[in-house]
Amino acid sequence: MNQDELKRVAAEAAIDYVDGGIIGVGTGSTINHFIDLLAKVKHKIDGAVSSSEASTERMRTHGIPIIDLNAAGELDLYVDGADESTKNLHLIKGGGGALTREKIVAGASRKFVCIADVSKLVSVLGEFPLPIEVIPMARSHVARQLVKLGGTPVWRENFTTDNGNIILDAHNMRILEPRKMEQEINNIAGVVTTGIFAIRPADVLILGTEEGIKTL
Ligand code: 5RP
């Protein structure tokens, strides 16, 4: 199976967690599979809270009702992908640039089911460049602080987030203490959020592998 097929296998398994109510929906190519499968069981749910304009558009084309998070209250379930995960379910997210809204919806959900192909499982976070959403005027300041933390920040040029901000991708980070690093980066003035999801990690990780589903 290729990587995309493994993503679909993981997405299929996540559909079993859908049990009515309002579902939080993440962003990315793995979640696009989930959205396409969710469309087939949309009669079971009241609607979805979306984490990005891209996912909103895809769900709208499937006729899945989009609900504002402010009107939804606490969600039972959030399903999203990841760029990296450890076996402790600490994640790097934001490869698609939707990290801030993803972190908000994850934080507002009782259960966070993360779906990915098995290549995303790592022993230490940081080989994937860490995305950080930054207020545009703070770009250089935040970049200098990231260098002090050991990273090599690269401005994701020609990219604006759904919130009107920029992304710095911090290369060469070896994140041994994800919760501490998440706090430190979030404390830099001008950072909107970092793509480390450790303070609110995933609750379940479903990996698509050649041998089928592996659940952590
Ligand atoms: C978007 C994300 C995605 O979940 C992450 O980039 C994984 O993407 P994909 O499913 O395409 O591999 O965090 O901001």
Side-chain angles (χ1 to χ4, degrees):
M1 273 189 272
N2 63 33
Q3 191 183 20
D4 194 56
E5 286 164 340
L6 296 178
K7 289 179 180 191
R8 188 178 166 91
V9 165
E12 278 167 2
I15 288 292
D16 291 344
Y17 289 81
V18 175
D19 185 26
I22 302 169
I23 312 294
V25 174
T27 301
S29 56
T30 317
I31 281 300
N32 283 345
H33 286 301
F34 177 77
I35 292 172
D36 296 347
L37 295 161
L38 187 65
K40 295 179 185 161
V41 294
K42 64 182 179 194
H43 57 277
K44 284 193 190 171
I45 60 169
D46 297 327
V49 170
S50 177
S51 64
S52 65
E53 301 299 335
S55 289
T56 297
E57 198 181 314
R58 197 175 188 96
M59 288 193 279
R60 284 223 167 100
T61 59
H62 282 305
I64 298 170
I66 302 298
I67 295 168
D68 187 301
L69 180 62
N70 292 308
E74 204 178 3
L75 306 178
D76 286 332
L77 176 66
Y78 179 56
V79 182
D80 199 358
D83 300 299
E84 283 185 348
S85 176
T86 66
K87 63 176 172 27
N88 296 326
L89 312 195
H90 295 150
L91 313 174
I92 283 184
K93 291 186 45 53
L99 60 161
T100 299
R101 294 190 188 186
E102 291 172 340
K103 198 173 277 194
I104 293 167
V105 186
S109 302
R110 278 184 276 271
K111 183 174 271 186
F112 175 5
V113 174
C114 182
I115 55 176
D117 69 272
V118 69
S119 71
K120 306 289 183 70
L121 187 63
V122 298
S123 48
V124 178
L125 296 177
E127 200 170 309
F128 187 92
L130 174 66
I132 298 144
E133 181 164 355
V134 175
I135 302 284
M137 72 166 283
R139 189 184 77 233
S140 299
H141 165 67
V142 172
R144 285 191 294 274
Q145 306 313 307
L146 291 171
V147 169
K148 289 180 194 163
L149 292 173
T152 308
V154 175
W155 178 20
R156 202 181 291 182
E157 286 190 73
N158 303 315
F159 183 87
T160 304
T161 70
D162 287 346
N163 313 306
N165 298 312
I166 61 139
I167 297 280
L168 292 175
D169 291 302
H171 294 244
N172 306 320
M173 302 284 283
R174 197 174 143 74
I175 304 166
L176 295 169
E177 295 179 279
R179 287 173 63 96
K180 185 162 171 267
M181 186 62 84
E182 182 176 357
Q183 263 160 351
E184 274 179 14
I185 296 176
N186 280 344
N187 279 343
I188 301 169
V191 166
V192 179
T193 201
T194 157
I196 302 173
F197 283 52
I199 295 167
R200 199 286 178 243
D203 300 305
V204 179
L205 174 64
I206 301 175
L207 294 170
T209 81
E210 287 293 343
E211 293 77 42
I213 288 302
K214 186 172 168 190
T215 304
L216 270 70

PDB file of all heavy atoms in Angstrom, residues 3 7 26-32 80-84 92-100 102 115-117 120 128 131 156 197, ligand 1:
ATOM      1  N   GLN A   3       1.452   5.472   0.743  1.00  0.00           N
ATOM      2  CA  GLN A   3       1.188   6.276   1.944  1.00  0.00           C
ATOM      3  C   GLN A   3      -0.267   6.771   1.980  1.00  0.00           C
ATOM      4  O   GLN A   3      -0.913   6.776   3.033  1.00  0.00           O
ATOM      5  CB  GLN A   3       2.154   7.467   1.977  1.00  0.00           C
ATOM      6  CG  GLN A   3       2.153   8.202   3.296  1.00  0.00           C
ATOM      7  CD  GLN A   3       3.055   9.418   3.293  1.00  0.00           C
ATOM      8  OE1 GLN A   3       3.411   9.945   2.233  1.00  0.00           O
ATOM      9  NE2 GLN A   3       3.437   9.876   4.458  1.00  0.00           N
ATOM     10  N   LYS A   7      -3.173   6.179   4.830  1.00  0.00           N
ATOM     11  CA  LYS A   7      -3.940   7.271   5.454  1.00  0.00           C
ATOM     12  C   LYS A   7      -5.435   6.950   5.420  1.00  0.00           C
ATOM     13  O   LYS A   7      -6.165   7.174   6.386  1.00  0.00           O
ATOM     14  CB  LYS A   7      -3.691   8.588   4.701  1.00  0.00           C
ATOM     15  CG  LYS A   7      -2.297   9.160   4.922  1.00  0.00           C
ATOM     16  CD  LYS A   7      -2.065  10.439   4.144  1.00  0.00           C
ATOM     17  CE  LYS A   7      -0.651  10.960   4.419  1.00  0.00           C
ATOM     18  NZ  LYS A   7      -0.412  12.305   3.915  1.00  0.00           N
ATOM     19  N   GLY A  26     -10.412  18.000  11.729  1.00  0.00           N
ATOM     20  CA  GLY A  26      -9.118  18.620  11.478  1.00  0.00           C
ATOM     21  C   GLY A  26      -8.892  18.966  10.019  1.00  0.00           C
ATOM     22  O   GLY A  26      -9.838  19.202   9.264  1.00  0.00           O
ATOM     23  N   THR A  27      -7.609  18.971   9.634  1.00  0.00           N
ATOM     24  CA  THR A  27      -7.213  19.455   8.308  1.00  0.00           C
ATOM     25  C   THR A  27      -6.091  18.581   7.751  1.00  0.00           C
ATOM     26  O   THR A  27      -5.265  18.088   8.524  1.00  0.00           O
ATOM     27  CB  THR A  27      -6.706  20.912   8.423  1.00  0.00           C
ATOM     28  OG1 THR A  27      -7.758  21.705   8.970  1.00  0.00           O
ATOM     29  CG2 THR A  27      -6.298  21.485   7.069  1.00  0.00           C
ATOM     30  N   GLY A  28      -6.079  18.415   6.429  1.00  0.00           N
ATOM     31  CA  GLY A  28      -4.959  17.714   5.793  1.00  0.00           C
ATOM     32  C   GLY A  28      -5.435  16.582   4.899  1.00  0.00           C
ATOM     33  O   GLY A  28      -6.636  16.313   4.785  1.00  0.00           O
ATOM     34  N   SER A  29      -4.484  15.901   4.274  1.00  0.00           N
ATOM     35  CA  SER A  29      -4.848  14.864   3.302  1.00  0.00           C
ATOM     36  C   SER A  29      -5.447  13.630   3.988  1.00  0.00           C
ATOM     37  O   SER A  29      -6.320  12.974   3.422  1.00  0.00           O
ATOM     38  CB  SER A  29      -3.622  14.477   2.473  1.00  0.00           C
ATOM     39  OG  SER A  29      -2.571  14.062   3.312  1.00  0.00           O
ATOM     40  N   THR A  30      -5.012  13.308   5.201  1.00  0.00           N
ATOM     41  CA  THR A  30      -5.598  12.174   5.929  1.00  0.00           C
ATOM     42  C   THR A  30      -7.037  12.500   6.315  1.00  0.00           C
ATOM     43  O   THR A  30      -7.945  11.678   6.162  1.00  0.00           O
ATOM     44  CB  THR A  30      -4.760  11.849   7.191  1.00  0.00           C
ATOM     45  OG1 THR A  30      -3.376  11.912   6.851  1.00  0.00           O
ATOM     46  CG2 THR A  30      -5.089  10.478   7.734  1.00  0.00           C
ATOM     47  N   ILE A  31      -7.224  13.732   6.785  1.00  0.00           N
ATOM     48  CA  ILE A  31      -8.574  14.151   7.175  1.00  0.00           C
ATOM     49  C   ILE A  31      -9.489  14.285   5.949  1.00  0.00           C
ATOM     50  O   ILE A  31     -10.700  14.058   6.066  1.00  0.00           O
ATOM     51  CB  ILE A  31      -8.487  15.468   7.987  1.00  0.00           C
ATOM     52  CG1 ILE A  31      -8.067  15.139   9.415  1.00  0.00           C
ATOM     53  CG2 ILE A  31      -9.784  16.248   7.982  1.00  0.00           C
ATOM     54  CD1 ILE A  31      -9.007  14.217  10.172  1.00  0.00           C
ATOM     55  N   ASN A  32      -8.926  14.593   4.808  1.00  0.00           N
ATOM     56  CA  ASN A  32      -9.780  14.630   3.609  1.00  0.00           C
ATOM     57  C   ASN A  32     -10.420  13.259   3.373  1.00  0.00           C
ATOM     58  O   ASN A  32     -11.590  13.175   2.990  1.00  0.00           O
ATOM     59  CB  ASN A  32      -8.975  15.067   2.394  1.00  0.00           C
ATOM     60  CG  ASN A  32      -8.731  16.564   2.395  1.00  0.00           C
ATOM     61  OD1 ASN A  32      -9.386  17.307   3.139  1.00  0.00           O
ATOM     62  ND2 ASN A  32      -7.804  17.018   1.577  1.00  0.00           N
ATOM     63  N   ASP A  80      -8.256  14.326  13.846  1.00  0.00           N
ATOM     64  CA  ASP A  80      -7.290  15.115  13.066  1.00  0.00           C
ATOM     65  C   ASP A  80      -6.050  14.270  12.760  1.00  0.00           C
ATOM     66  O   ASP A  80      -5.812  13.250  13.409  1.00  0.00           O
ATOM     67  CB  ASP A  80      -6.906  16.387  13.843  1.00  0.00           C
ATOM     68  CG  ASP A  80      -6.293  17.457  12.942  1.00  0.00           C
ATOM     69  OD1 ASP A  80      -6.123  17.209  11.720  1.00  0.00           O
ATOM     70  OD2 ASP A  80      -5.980  18.548  13.458  1.00  0.00           O
ATOM     71  N   GLY A  81      -5.289  14.709  11.804  1.00  0.00           N
ATOM     72  CA  GLY A  81      -4.039  14.047  11.439  1.00  0.00           C
ATOM     73  C   GLY A  81      -2.872  14.636  12.215  1.00  0.00           C
ATOM     74  O   GLY A  81      -3.051  15.418  13.147  1.00  0.00           O
ATOM     75  N   ALA A  82      -1.654  14.262  11.822  1.00  0.00           N
ATOM     76  CA  ALA A  82      -0.445  14.796  12.464  1.00  0.00           C
ATOM     77  C   ALA A  82       0.732  14.652  11.511  1.00  0.00           C
ATOM     78  O   ALA A  82       0.719  13.816  10.609  1.00  0.00           O
ATOM     79  CB  ALA A  82      -0.155  14.065  13.765  1.00  0.00           C
ATOM     80  N   ASP A  83       1.736  15.473  11.744  1.00  0.00           N
ATOM     81  CA  ASP A  83       2.982  15.357  10.978  1.00  0.00           C
ATOM     82  C   ASP A  83       3.953  14.405  11.660  1.00  0.00           C
ATOM     83  O   ASP A  83       4.745  13.749  10.995  1.00  0.00           O
ATOM     84  CB  ASP A  83       3.605  16.743  10.799  1.00  0.00           C
ATOM     85  CG  ASP A  83       2.662  17.670  10.057  1.00  0.00           C
ATOM     86  OD1 ASP A  83       2.321  17.349   8.914  1.00  0.00           O
ATOM     87  OD2 ASP A  83       2.229  18.684  10.640  1.00  0.00           O
ATOM     88  N   GLU A  84       3.905  14.361  12.988  1.00  0.00           N
ATOM     89  CA  GLU A  84       4.694  13.398  13.766  1.00  0.00           C
ATOM     90  C   GLU A  84       3.930  13.080  15.044  1.00  0.00           C
ATOM     91  O   GLU A  84       3.211  13.939  15.581  1.00  0.00           O
ATOM     92  CB  GLU A  84       6.063  13.983  14.175  1.00  0.00           C
ATOM     93  CG  GLU A  84       7.097  14.034  13.084  1.00  0.00           C
ATOM     94  CD  GLU A  84       8.474  14.515  13.564  1.00  0.00           C
ATOM     95  OE1 GLU A  84       8.599  15.034  14.704  1.00  0.00           O
ATOM     96  OE2 GLU A  84       9.426  14.382  12.790  1.00  0.00           O
ATOM     97  N   ILE A  92       3.521  16.718  16.526  1.00  0.00           N
ATOM     98  CA  ILE A  92       3.781  17.947  15.765  1.00  0.00           C
ATOM     99  C   ILE A  92       2.678  18.029  14.725  1.00  0.00           C
ATOM    100  O   ILE A  92       2.390  17.057  14.027  1.00  0.00           O
ATOM    101  CB  ILE A  92       5.159  17.948  15.082  1.00  0.00           C
ATOM    102  CG1 ILE A  92       6.258  18.236  16.104  1.00  0.00           C
ATOM    103  CG2 ILE A  92       5.207  19.026  13.976  1.00  0.00           C
ATOM    104  CD1 ILE A  92       7.655  18.365  15.506  1.00  0.00           C
ATOM    105  N   LYS A  93       2.042  19.205  14.649  1.00  0.00           N
ATOM    106  CA  LYS A  93       1.008  19.461  13.662  1.00  0.00           C
ATOM    107  C   LYS A  93       1.269  20.824  13.020  1.00  0.00           C
ATOM    108  O   LYS A  93       2.071  21.595  13.490  1.00  0.00           O
ATOM    109  CB  LYS A  93      -0.374  19.472  14.327  1.00  0.00           C
ATOM    110  CG  LYS A  93      -0.785  18.081  14.802  1.00  0.00           C
ATOM    111  CD  LYS A  93      -2.216  18.048  15.336  1.00  0.00           C
ATOM    112  CE  LYS A  93      -3.199  18.771  14.487  1.00  0.00           C
ATOM    113  NZ  LYS A  93      -3.195  18.342  13.070  1.00  0.00           N
ATOM    114  N   GLY A  94       0.555  21.071  11.917  1.00  0.00           N
ATOM    115  CA  GLY A  94       0.659  22.383  11.289  1.00  0.00           C
ATOM    116  C   GLY A  94       1.338  22.366   9.940  1.00  0.00           C
ATOM    117  O   GLY A  94       1.578  23.423   9.350  1.00  0.00           O
ATOM    118  N   GLY A  95       1.631  21.156   9.433  1.00  0.00           N
ATOM    119  CA  GLY A  95       2.200  21.086   8.084  1.00  0.00           C
ATOM    120  C   GLY A  95       1.314  21.786   7.068  1.00  0.00           C
ATOM    121  O   GLY A  95       1.795  22.382   6.108  1.00  0.00           O
ATOM    122  N   GLY A  96       0.011  21.745   7.316  1.00  0.00           N
ATOM    123  CA  GLY A  96      -0.944  22.430   6.432  1.00  0.00           C
ATOM    124  C   GLY A  96      -1.251  23.852   6.891  1.00  0.00           C
ATOM    125  O   GLY A  96      -2.060  24.543   6.267  1.00  0.00           O
ATOM    126  N   GLY A  97      -0.642  24.267   8.003  1.00  0.00           N
ATOM    127  CA  GLY A  97      -0.784  25.653   8.462  1.00  0.00           C
ATOM    128  C   GLY A  97      -2.042  25.939   9.277  1.00  0.00           C
ATOM    129  O   GLY A  97      -2.324  27.085   9.589  1.00  0.00           O
ATOM    130  N   ALA A  98      -2.770  24.885   9.659  1.00  0.00           N
ATOM    131  CA  ALA A  98      -4.046  25.115  10.361  1.00  0.00           C
ATOM    132  C   ALA A  98      -3.916  24.902  11.869  1.00  0.00           C
ATOM    133  O   ALA A  98      -4.911  24.717  12.569  1.00  0.00           O
ATOM    134  CB  ALA A  98      -5.110  24.187   9.783  1.00  0.00           C
ATOM    135  N   LEU A  99      -2.674  24.946  12.386  1.00  0.00           N
ATOM    136  CA  LEU A  99      -2.414  24.503  13.755  1.00  0.00           C
ATOM    137  C   LEU A  99      -3.202  25.230  14.828  1.00  0.00           C
ATOM    138  O   LEU A  99      -3.639  24.620  15.810  1.00  0.00           O
ATOM    139  CB  LEU A  99      -0.914  24.570  14.046  1.00  0.00           C
ATOM    140  CG  LEU A  99      -0.210  25.918  13.936  1.00  0.00           C
ATOM    141  CD1 LEU A  99       1.105  25.865  14.688  1.00  0.00           C
ATOM    142  CD2 LEU A  99       0.096  26.262  12.489  1.00  0.00           C
ATOM    143  N   THR A 100      -3.423  26.550  14.672  1.00  0.00           N
ATOM    144  CA  THR A 100      -4.076  27.287  15.759  1.00  0.00           C
ATOM    145  C   THR A 100      -5.528  26.854  15.918  1.00  0.00           C
ATOM    146  O   THR A 100      -5.979  26.534  17.025  1.00  0.00           O
ATOM    147  CB  THR A 100      -3.981  28.798  15.521  1.00  0.00           C
ATOM    148  OG1 THR A 100      -2.592  29.144  15.482  1.00  0.00           O
ATOM    149  CG2 THR A 100      -4.655  29.584  16.631  1.00  0.00           C
ATOM    150  N   GLU A 102      -6.765  24.141  14.869  1.00  0.00           N
ATOM    151  CA  GLU A 102      -6.744  22.725  15.269  1.00  0.00           C
ATOM    152  C   GLU A 102      -6.555  22.610  16.780  1.00  0.00           C
ATOM    153  O   GLU A 102      -7.212  21.805  17.444  1.00  0.00           O
ATOM    154  CB  GLU A 102      -5.612  21.991  14.537  1.00  0.00           C
ATOM    155  CG  GLU A 102      -5.882  21.855  13.047  1.00  0.00           C
ATOM    156  CD  GLU A 102      -4.707  21.303  12.249  1.00  0.00           C
ATOM    157  OE1 GLU A 102      -3.554  21.361  12.727  1.00  0.00           O
ATOM    158  OE2 GLU A 102      -4.936  20.815  11.146  1.00  0.00           O
ATOM    159  N   ILE A 115      -5.263  10.418  13.481  1.00  0.00           N
ATOM    160  CA  ILE A 115      -5.127   9.382  12.448  1.00  0.00           C
ATOM    161  C   ILE A 115      -3.940   9.716  11.554  1.00  0.00           C
ATOM    162  O   ILE A 115      -3.725  10.875  11.188  1.00  0.00           O
ATOM    163  CB  ILE A 115      -6.432   9.235  11.609  1.00  0.00           C
ATOM    164  CG1 ILE A 115      -6.882  10.566  11.001  1.00  0.00           C
ATOM    165  CG2 ILE A 115      -7.539   8.648  12.458  1.00  0.00           C
ATOM    166  CD1 ILE A 115      -8.112  10.463  10.090  1.00  0.00           C
ATOM    167  N   ALA A 116      -3.165   8.677  11.222  1.00  0.00           N
ATOM    168  CA  ALA A 116      -1.956   8.916  10.428  1.00  0.00           C
ATOM    169  C   ALA A 116      -1.472   7.613   9.808  1.00  0.00           C
ATOM    170  O   ALA A 116      -1.830   6.523  10.277  1.00  0.00           O
ATOM    171  CB  ALA A 116      -0.851   9.478  11.334  1.00  0.00           C
ATOM    172  N   ASP A 117      -0.665   7.734   8.789  1.00  0.00           N
ATOM    173  CA  ASP A 117       0.039   6.548   8.308  1.00  0.00           C
ATOM    174  C   ASP A 117       1.243   6.314   9.227  1.00  0.00           C
ATOM    175  O   ASP A 117       1.706   7.240   9.911  1.00  0.00           O
ATOM    176  CB  ASP A 117       0.465   6.725   6.843  1.00  0.00           C
ATOM    177  CG  ASP A 117       1.543   7.768   6.712  1.00  0.00           C
ATOM    178  OD1 ASP A 117       1.207   8.962   6.578  1.00  0.00           O
ATOM    179  OD2 ASP A 117       2.726   7.409   6.778  1.00  0.00           O
ATOM    180  N   LYS A 120       4.457   8.399  10.405  1.00  0.00           N
ATOM    181  CA  LYS A 120       4.425   9.579  11.287  1.00  0.00           C
ATOM    182  C   LYS A 120       4.868   9.259  12.716  1.00  0.00           C
ATOM    183  O   LYS A 120       5.065  10.170  13.516  1.00  0.00           O
ATOM    184  CB  LYS A 120       3.002  10.169  11.319  1.00  0.00           C
ATOM    185  CG  LYS A 120       2.390  10.496   9.962  1.00  0.00           C
ATOM    186  CD  LYS A 120       3.042  11.678   9.320  1.00  0.00           C
ATOM    187  CE  LYS A 120       2.428  12.087   7.995  1.00  0.00           C
ATOM    188  NZ  LYS A 120       1.119  12.672   8.044  1.00  0.00           N
ATOM    189  N   PHE A 128      10.533  16.565  11.612  1.00  0.00           N
ATOM    190  CA  PHE A 128       9.649  17.383  10.782  1.00  0.00           C
ATOM    191  C   PHE A 128       9.781  18.829  11.276  1.00  0.00           C
ATOM    192  O   PHE A 128       9.681  19.087  12.479  1.00  0.00           O
ATOM    193  CB  PHE A 128       8.189  16.904  10.930  1.00  0.00           C
ATOM    194  CG  PHE A 128       7.246  17.591   9.991  1.00  0.00           C
ATOM    195  CD1 PHE A 128       6.972  17.042   8.745  1.00  0.00           C
ATOM    196  CD2 PHE A 128       6.645  18.799  10.325  1.00  0.00           C
ATOM    197  CE1 PHE A 128       6.108  17.678   7.855  1.00  0.00           C
ATOM    198  CE2 PHE A 128       5.782  19.444   9.442  1.00  0.00           C
ATOM    199  CZ  PHE A 128       5.520  18.880   8.208  1.00  0.00           C
ATOM    200  N   PRO A 131       6.104  23.788  12.816  1.00  0.00           N
ATOM    201  CA  PRO A 131       5.393  24.994  12.385  1.00  0.00           C
ATOM    202  C   PRO A 131       5.002  25.861  13.591  1.00  0.00           C
ATOM    203  O   PRO A 131       4.569  25.348  14.616  1.00  0.00           O
ATOM    204  CB  PRO A 131       4.129  24.442  11.695  1.00  0.00           C
ATOM    205  CG  PRO A 131       4.395  22.982  11.473  1.00  0.00           C
ATOM    206  CD  PRO A 131       5.288  22.573  12.605  1.00  0.00           C
ATOM    207  N   ARG A 156       7.751  30.485   5.964  1.00  0.00           N
ATOM    208  CA  ARG A 156       6.980  29.817   4.903  1.00  0.00           C
ATOM    209  C   ARG A 156       6.432  30.908   3.981  1.00  0.00           C
ATOM    210  O   ARG A 156       5.370  31.475   4.236  1.00  0.00           O
ATOM    211  CB  ARG A 156       5.851  28.988   5.516  1.00  0.00           C
ATOM    212  CG  ARG A 156       5.357  27.880   4.594  1.00  0.00           C
ATOM    213  CD  ARG A 156       4.226  27.081   5.185  1.00  0.00           C
ATOM    214  NE  ARG A 156       4.564  26.239   6.314  1.00  0.00           N
ATOM    215  CZ  ARG A 156       3.676  25.443   6.926  1.00  0.00           C
ATOM    216  NH1 ARG A 156       2.423  25.382   6.493  1.00  0.00           N
ATOM    217  NH2 ARG A 156       4.041  24.695   7.970  1.00  0.00           N
ATOM    218  N   PHE A 197       1.745  19.655  20.102  1.00  0.00           N
ATOM    219  CA  PHE A 197       0.504  19.328  20.814  1.00  0.00           C
ATOM    220  C   PHE A 197       0.879  18.320  21.908  1.00  0.00           C
ATOM    221  O   PHE A 197       0.803  17.110  21.710  1.00  0.00           O
ATOM    222  CB  PHE A 197      -0.534  18.711  19.877  1.00  0.00           C
ATOM    223  CG  PHE A 197      -1.252  19.681  18.969  1.00  0.00           C
ATOM    224  CD1 PHE A 197      -0.568  20.577  18.169  1.00  0.00           C
ATOM    225  CD2 PHE A 197      -2.639  19.676  18.897  1.00  0.00           C
ATOM    226  CE1 PHE A 197      -1.238  21.470  17.322  1.00  0.00           C
ATOM    227  CE2 PHE A 197      -3.323  20.552  18.053  1.00  0.00           C
ATOM    228  CZ  PHE A 197      -2.622  21.448  17.268  1.00  0.00           C
TER     229      PHE A 197
HETATM  230  C1  5RP B   1      -2.519  20.602   9.189  1.00  0.00           C
HETATM  231  C2  5RP B   1      -2.075  19.460  10.010  1.00  0.00           C
HETATM  232  C3  5RP B   1      -2.193  18.096   9.446  1.00  0.00           C
HETATM  233  O1  5RP B   1      -2.919  17.303  10.332  1.00  0.00           O
HETATM  234  C4  5RP B   1      -0.838  17.516   9.260  1.00  0.00           C
HETATM  235  O2  5RP B   1      -0.061  18.390   8.473  1.00  0.00           O
HETATM  236  C5  5RP B   1      -0.898  16.144   8.591  1.00  0.00           C
HETATM  237  O3  5RP B   1      -1.277  16.290   7.268  1.00  0.00           O
HETATM  238  P1  5RP B   1      -1.517  15.086   6.302  1.00  0.00           P
HETATM  239  O4  5RP B   1      -2.726  14.353   6.801  1.00  0.00           O
HETATM  240  O5  5RP B   1      -1.740  15.731   4.956  1.00  0.00           O
HETATM  241  O6  5RP B   1      -0.281  14.204   6.310  1.00  0.00           O
HETATM  242  O7  5RP B   1      -1.630  19.608  11.130  1.00  0.00           O
HETATM  243  O8  5RP B   1      -2.267  21.826   9.813  1.00  0.00           O
END
